[in-house]
Amino acid sequence: MKRVLASLLLLLVLGYAFNAARVGLANTAYFQARFLLDKWQQQPQAITQSNYQQAYDFADRSVLLAPNNPHYKITKAKIVLWGYHAGFSQDSQVVDLGKLYQTAISQRPQWPEAYADYAWYLSGIKDDFPQAMLNLNQAVKYGPFHGDSLETVLKVAFSRWQQLTPEQKAEFYPLIPRALQSNSRNNVLMMVKQYKKEFVVCYYLKRQGQLPQKLWSSVERQLCLAN
């Protein structure tokens, strides 16, 4: 009897050790993938075919080792989206994106970043803007002041600006000052310039932006007075 109990205890210990090792490897791969992703987000020109493949391999490994972790899934999806827009991702990688987003959202149904990224995928890759709009609304609902989510929401909105109704544009304008008061401020300023929306954004901010004076002076100098 003692031998049976000892054997069971040994199996439990080995199982725990194996699982802990797997979780540790998944976490290490995740942080390696995230390091490269964060670098691209700060310096978009830094993405290359080589470091894209590195990031994808790390992210894919983290999902394989911990398939129930929604953060790993979203990070993998983000990396593939970056690779897609940079021209580096493969069709076999892109085809899994929808499922990654859907399962991550089902696991965390109030996660604004997942909804925002899913909308970017639906708009930019699937060309399904009506569904993208539904997810943008969810992103704003659950993350009304979440900088990364607002940045992605505005990215989708600006890329589809000509298709938006005046009512839809009016819904997006108030998100701009919120995003400018978040950690995504510099990226949002660059985005406004990229999509050549300086005039309409400055017009709105001057009249209804209600930014703190110090911040408005900086934004005005970078975005409005320079044009």
Side-chain angles (χ1 to χ4, degrees):
M1 186 65 178
K2 290 182 178 180
R3 289 183 179 180
V4 173
L5 290 175
S7 298
L8 289 174
L9 181 60
L10 179 61
L11 288 174
L12 288 173
V13 171
L14 290 174
Y16 177 81
F18 175 78
N19 186 64
R22 186 177 63 181
V23 170
L25 289 171
N27 204 40
T28 298
Y30 164 74
F31 279 112
Q32 289 172 314
R34 191 75 210 190
F35 173 80
L36 291 168
L37 177 61
D38 290 343
K39 181 179 180 180
W40 303 339
Q41 290 175 330
Q42 295 171 10
Q43 304 173 29
Q45 70 280 7
I47 186 171
T48 65
Q49 176 74 64
S50 177
N51 64 28
Y52 165 72
Q53 191 59 51
Q54 283 182 323
Y56 177 83
D57 290 342
F58 286 134
D60 189 51
R61 186 183 309 164
S62 70
V63 173
L64 287 173
L65 291 169
N68 295 321
N69 189 306
H71 290 277
Y72 297 173
K73 293 175 184 175
I74 288 296
T75 295
K76 179 180 176 180
K78 280 177 177 288
I79 286 168
V80 174
L81 270 180
W82 271 85
Y84 174 84
H85 289 288
F88 299 142
S89 61
Q90 302 171 14
D91 291 343
S92 59
Q93 297 168 347
V94 175
V95 75
D96 292 332
L97 281 178
K99 186 177 180 180
L100 283 171
Y101 284 121
Q102 291 163 10
T103 53
I105 288 171
S106 70
Q107 290 174 285
R108 287 192 58 186
Q110 296 184 4
W111 192 5
E113 193 172 2
Y115 286 110
D117 279 11
Y118 189 34
W120 187 22
Y121 160 76
L122 289 168
S123 177
I125 296 181
K126 302 299 288 184
D127 196 26
D128 188 350
F129 191 54
Q131 282 298 314
M133 279 294 297
L134 293 176
N135 282 275
L136 291 179
N137 291 335
Q138 291 292 89
V140 175
K141 174 183 176 180
Y142 293 118
F145 300 98
H146 187 264
D148 291 342
S149 299
L150 291 176
E151 178 186 341
T152 304
V153 168
L154 290 172
K155 183 186 301 182
V156 177
F158 285 142
S159 70
R160 294 277 186 164
W161 198 253
Q162 301 306 318
Q163 299 172 240
L164 299 180
T165 65
E167 292 77 16
Q168 288 173 325
K169 291 178 181 178
E171 293 176 0
F172 284 113
Y173 279 125
L175 305 182
I176 299 172
R178 291 188 205 171
L180 289 174
Q181 295 178 78
S182 75
N183 61 311
S184 294
R185 179 189 309 160
N186 292 334
N187 288 346
V188 172
L189 289 173
M190 289 190 294
M191 189 195 312
V192 171
K193 295 176 182 179
Q194 175 188 347
Y195 286 100
K196 303 185 186 306
K197 294 293 181 287
E198 295 96 330
F199 178 80
V200 294
V201 170
C202 288
Y203 185 88
Y204 175 82
L205 291 176
K206 286 177 182 178
R207 286 154 181 78
Q208 300 184 52
Q210 298 182 335
L211 292 174
Q213 185 56 47
K214 184 177 180 180
L215 174 57
W216 165 239
S217 296
S218 175
V219 170
E220 184 182 30
R221 184 172 61 254
Q222 295 178 70
L223 203 63
C224 307
L225 300 180
N227 297 282

